[in-house]
């Protein structure tokens, strides 16, 4: 398409990188390429699943000009600055992290639905949602046209808060507007409270009760949502009962959040009244807007839009003669609740998609935030409280029905299978015969299936672990491989100044495509370097975590790799060297055949690992 449209002001590089999951290696390699110095903007594409909208979830700093240029060209942008703020808090990295660290401007897109397919054999063309791929294409084409047509030599400074409030467009405001807007909206509500109190339609104690009802509603929602999931888990005996069919559990959590909001609001609403409840709810939203604008400016837009809508809708009801109409206030509450739900409930689905239903409390509280906009409507005139009871009973019945459906749902399915990889681990100790085990690496981890139990006797033995992870696995005795274990050769051992430099060669006699060296915590290791390169791996927090420092070489040329250990003492050093190959030995065929149809290997898949403990003597 770009070629057909003719040359752009700026050339476009199409860059395909690999090695992301093992250390962003492709991106790191491109940083050293001669073309890298000419790059002005990066447009990165990711996928964490097989479907969903292509979302702009990350940008570089000073992103106002990036958002403006992209939004003007994109036919259906999905972008908000809350995603940007949340992603900044996560430890995750993508190729884009490398480019940001190198000082480049850019934007990052991903779709994230059907995460059950991610890093499994189901992450294939058959399961790929073509609409997601098309949305990615629409976004990257729009971005290429936008950034290919503008001067990139001196981009404007400044960041935006932004939101795709209306399909096809992105609302953008300077980030410096967030605090003033939040304060103005709070002041508007203070003015409305003064006017209403003078008209004897509310009093300050009523406002206080409205605030209290909102706070308690959020707390009750989080507690009830969590309790519902815990009860279902106790009944089923399965931790991730919602994996194959999340809809009943999602509905149960949302209904529990709604019920919790009602339980807090109903007893206090009679005294607070409609206007006291309204003022309490939106004063609290105003406070949240100010806090968000100060602490996480990008997140403030999700509070500001409902707050602005409430100020406009309720302001019209308060400042017009229609105030005396019985429908004016409830109509304002209904309109504001619609705006709040329109904005927040899709965000709640996004939390579930990105983090999983395991984050029940966060899901319930965020859903309850949307429901708080409705709580003024549970303050009926005196003598007309039957509707509240009916509503709460209906919500309770909904929780029970959807909870029962969740109990009855299958744990895993062929479409959303369990991740279940099989490993053969062999461990050699100096002067002792090798031992070997079968390991099951499963997520989510329900009780062991009968099919696998019939092949081998698996137990939960905490002492049998892979050294580079703190996770424990189900294990069973296995026949050892007829393979020479990996080893190290001490090339040199020298001391300069106060540092001991040990040069090692890592050997994998079986030519495994991955070699791992683990140096235990407390070894006074300062760094690991690769001779002939600028690569230096710092040792961080090893003493605090108690976990070993791990150096990993990926690729078919790893056998014979030379590294340097920089150590602060001359004592003997006990290390562990391991190599990993893909697939199981022939003896594992029966286990692979016994793997249920509702389970698939994940990440590296089924692998064979051979570990060897070695002591490096004093120089």
């Amino acid at each position: 398409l770009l070629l057909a449209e003719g040359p752009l002001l700026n050339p476009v590089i199409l860059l395909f990188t690999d090695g992301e999951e093992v250390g962003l290696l492709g991106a790191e390699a491109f940083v050293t390429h001669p073309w890298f110095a000419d790059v002005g903007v990066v447009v990165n594409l990711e996928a964490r699943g097989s479907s969903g909208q292509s979302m702009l979830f990350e940008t570089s700093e000073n992103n106002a000009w990036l958002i403006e240029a992209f939004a003007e060209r994109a036919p259906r942008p999905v972008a908000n600055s809350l995603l940007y703020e949340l992603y900044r808090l996560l430890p995750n990295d993508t190729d884009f992290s490398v480019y940001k660290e190198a000082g480049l401007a850019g934007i990052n897109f991903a779709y994230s639905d059907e995460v059950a397919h991610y890093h499994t054999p189901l992450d294939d063309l058959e399961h790929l949602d073509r609409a997601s791929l098309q949305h990615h294409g629409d976004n990257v084409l729009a971005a290429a046209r936008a950034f290919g047509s503008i001067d990139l030599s001196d981009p404007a400074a400044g960041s935006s808060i932004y939101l795709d409030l209306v399909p096809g467009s992105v609302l953008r405001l300077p980030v410096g507007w967030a605090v003033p807007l939040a304060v103005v909206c709070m002041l508007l509500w203070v003015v409305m409270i003064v006017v209403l109190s003078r008209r004897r339609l509310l009093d300050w104690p009523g406002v206080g009760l409205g605030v209290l009802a909102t706070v308690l509603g959020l707390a009750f929602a989080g507690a009830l949502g969590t309790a519902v999931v815990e009860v279902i888990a106790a009944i089923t005996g399965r931790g991730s009962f919602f994996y194959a069919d999340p809809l009943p559990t999602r509905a149960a959590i949302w209904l529990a959040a709604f019920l919790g909001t009602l339980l807090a609001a109903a007893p206090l609403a009679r005294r607070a009244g409609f206007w006291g409840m309204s003022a309490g709810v939106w004063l609290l939203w105003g406070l949240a807007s100010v806090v968000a604008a100060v602490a996480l400016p990008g997140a403030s837009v999700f509070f500001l839009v409902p707050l602005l809508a409430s100020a406009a809708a309720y302001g019209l009801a308060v400042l017009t003669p229609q105030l005396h109409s019985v429908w004016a206030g409830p109509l304002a509450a209904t309109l504001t609740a619609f705006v709040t739900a329109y904005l927040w409930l899709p965000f709640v689905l996004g939390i579930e998609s990105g983090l999983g239903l395991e984050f029940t409390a966060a899901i319930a509280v965020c859903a309850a935030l949307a429901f708080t906009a409705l709580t003024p409507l549970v303050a009926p005139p005196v003598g007309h409280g039957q509707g509240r009871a009916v509503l709460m009973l209906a919500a309770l019945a909904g929780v029970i029905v959807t909870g029962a459906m969740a109990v009855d749902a299958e744990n895993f399915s062929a479409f959303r299978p369990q991740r279940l990889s099989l490993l053969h681990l062999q461990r050699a100790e100096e002067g002792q015969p090798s031992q070997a085990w079968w390991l099951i690496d499963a997520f989510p981890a329900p009780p062991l299936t009968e099919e696998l139990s019939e092949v081998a006797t698996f137990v939960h033995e905490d002492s049998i672990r892979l050294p580079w992870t703190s996770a424990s696995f189900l294990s069973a005795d296995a026949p050892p491989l007829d393979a020479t274990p990996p080893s190290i050769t001490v090339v040199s051992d020298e001391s300069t100044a106060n540092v001991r430099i040990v040069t090692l060669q890592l050997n994998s006699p079986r030519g495994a495509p991955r070699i791992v060296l683990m140096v235990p915590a407390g070894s006074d290791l300062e760094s690991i370097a690769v001779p002939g390169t600028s690569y230096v791996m710092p040792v961080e927090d090893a003493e605090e975590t108690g976990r070993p420092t791990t150096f990993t070489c990926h690729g078919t040329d790893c056998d014979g790799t030379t590294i340097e250990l920089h150590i602060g003492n001359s004592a003997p050093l006990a290390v562990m060297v391991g190599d990993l190959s893909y697939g199981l030995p022939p003896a594992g065929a029966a286990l692979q055949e016994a793997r249920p149809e509702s389970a698939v290997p994940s990440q590296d898949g089924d692998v064979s690992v051979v570990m060897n403990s070695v002591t490096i003597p004093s120089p």
Side-chain angles (χ1 to χ4, degrees):
L1 286 170
L2 293 176
L3 291 173
E5 293 171 3
L8 293 165
L9 175 65
N10 305 311
V12 177
I13 299 170
L14 305 182
L15 174 65
F16 298 85
T17 60
D18 65 1
E20 183 197 36
E21 295 298 336
V22 296
L24 311 175
L25 302 184
E28 293 279 8
F30 183 65
V31 172
T32 67
H33 193 281
W35 288 358
F36 184 77
D38 296 327
V39 176
V41 173
V42 173
V43 181
N44 195 55
L45 296 176
E46 298 289 336
R48 187 178 176 270
S50 59
S51 66
Q53 295 178 311
S54 174
M55 300 176 291
L56 197 169
F57 71 97
E58 183 185 15
T59 75
S60 53
E61 301 294 331
N62 291 314
N63 61 17
W65 69 279
L66 294 165
I67 300 299
E68 179 181 4
F70 166 71
E72 289 179 351
R73 292 272 192 160
R76 180 63 173 84
V78 176
N80 64 74
S81 50
L82 175 56
L83 280 176
Y84 166 75
E85 293 285 10
L86 292 178
Y87 186 77
R88 288 206 302 172
L89 299 176
L90 298 176
N92 305 47
D93 282 312
T94 68
D95 283 343
F96 187 58
S97 306
V98 175
Y99 308 133
K100 281 181 67 176
E101 186 176 345
L104 286 182
I107 54 180
N108 202 358
F109 297 95
Y111 50 81
S112 61
D113 288 350
E114 294 303 344
V115 72
H117 297 163
Y118 186 51
H119 289 175
T120 77
L122 300 185
D123 200 355
D124 58 12
L125 291 175
E126 180 182 351
H127 293 90
L128 174 62
D129 188 335
R130 298 299 198 272
S132 299
L133 184 63
Q134 182 64 53
H135 199 189
H136 251 355
D138 290 343
N139 283 338
V140 73
L141 179 61
R145 286 168 170 163
F147 301 125
S149 304
I150 61 176
D151 183 1
L152 303 177
S153 60
D154 188 23
S159 293
S160 291
I161 56 174
Y162 51 94
L163 174 67
D164 55 324
L165 186 60
V166 178
S169 65
V170 177
L171 171 68
R172 308 182 301 277
L173 294 171
V175 71
W177 288 25
V179 172
L181 278 174
V183 171
V184 166
C185 288
M186 280 197 70
L187 291 176
L188 288 174
W189 266 103
V190 171
V191 170
M192 281 191 276
I193 292 170
V194 171
V195 171
L196 291 167
S197 64
R198 288 181 176 178
R199 297 180 184 179
R200 301 184 183 280
L201 292 170
L202 60 66
D203 53 29
W204 284 103
V207 176
L209 289 174
V211 172
L212 179 61
T214 307
V215 172
L216 290 177
L218 296 177
F220 287 3
L224 280 178
T226 302
V228 165
V229 170
E230 292 295 331
V231 168
I232 299 172
I235 294 173
T236 61
R238 295 175 278 141
S240 297
F241 51 84
F242 44 74
Y243 198 77
D245 186 9
L247 182 58
T249 306
R250 179 189 307 141
I253 295 172
W254 286 28
L255 287 167
F258 184 54
L259 178 61
T261 308
L262 292 177
L263 286 173
L268 298 175
R270 184 177 297 278
R271 167 62 183 85
F274 173 84
W275 291 105
M277 288 294 298
S278 299
V281 167
W282 293 106
L283 275 181
L284 196 64
W285 271 80
L287 179 61
S289 296
V290 173
V291 172
V294 172
L296 292 173
S300 64
V301 68
F302 267 70
F303 295 94
L304 280 172
V305 170
L307 190 60
L308 285 166
S310 75
Y314 281 94
L316 286 174
V318 169
L319 300 176
T320 60
Q322 279 70 31
L323 171 65
H324 302 291
S325 168
V326 72
W327 296 106
L331 180 60
T334 303
L335 290 173
T336 308
F338 175 80
V339 172
T340 307
Y342 171 79
L343 197 59
W344 273 86
L345 294 183
F347 172 65
V348 176
L349 288 175
I351 295 177
E352 178 187 329
S353 175
L355 301 177
L357 281 169
E358 291 86 355
F359 286 77
T360 306
I363 291 171
V365 169
C366 288
L369 272 170
F371 301 145
T372 58
L374 286 170
T375 53
L377 298 176
V378 302
V382 176
H384 294 79
Q386 299 89 342
R388 291 179 297 186
V390 171
L391 195 59
M392 284 189 284
L393 286 173
L396 177 60
V399 171
I400 294 172
V401 170
T402 54
M405 293 171 64
V407 168
D408 192 52
E410 290 292 328
N411 214 72
F412 305 108
S413 67
F415 184 72
R416 296 191 182 107
Q418 180 190 19
R419 299 167 184 266
L420 196 155
S421 298
L422 301 167
L423 298 85
H424 183 275
L425 171 63
Q426 182 166 316
R427 199 160 63 192
E429 300 285 344
E430 289 180 307
Q432 299 182 17
S434 296
Q435 291 180 285
W437 302 269
W438 300 116
L439 303 182
I440 295 178
D441 184 7
F443 176 83
L448 184 66
T449 63
E450 293 181 6
E451 297 93 334
L452 290 169
S453 296
E454 291 174 356
V455 178
T457 303
F458 284 92
V459 296
H460 206 119
E461 176 55 65
D462 283 346
S463 64
I464 302 174
R465 296 173 180 250
L466 295 175
W468 53 80
T469 173
S470 59
S472 58
F473 306 91
L474 288 170
S475 63
D477 290 336
L481 292 174
D482 184 17
T484 303
S487 63
I488 60 173
T489 302
V490 179
V491 178
S492 64
D493 192 340
E494 303 172 347
S495 296
T496 59
N498 295 320
V499 178
R500 175 188 178 191
I501 301 176
V502 182
T503 303
L504 302 176
Q505 184 182 75
L506 308 181
N507 308 307
S508 174
R510 64 194 188 106
R514 187 180 305 178
I515 299 181
V516 182
L517 178 74
M518 283 148 289
V519 182
S523 302
D524 207 10
L525 179 67
E526 297 179 1
S527 64
I528 299 178
V530 178
T533 74
S534 60
Y535 178 79
V536 177
M537 174 181 164
V539 177
E540 299 177 356
D541 300 326
E543 305 298 335
E544 295 180 11
T545 63
R547 295 181 60 182
T549 298
T550 302
F551 173 89
T552 306
C553 176
H554 299 266
T556 55
D557 293 333
C558 287
D559 181 27
T561 294
T562 301
I563 62 173
E564 292 177 352
L565 304 185
H566 294 201
I567 310 170
N569 63 55
S570 59
L573 179 61
V575 300
M576 185 172 286
V577 60
D579 61 9
L580 177 151
S581 59
Y582 300 109
L584 297 181
L591 279 173
Q592 290 174 313
E593 292 175 2
R595 181 164 32 211
E597 293 184 0
S598 59
V600 293
S602 176
Q603 297 291 122
D604 288 328
D606 299 340
V607 297
S608 299
V609 180
V610 181
M611 307 299 304
N612 192 12
S613 297
V614 181
T615 298
I616 302 172
S618 297

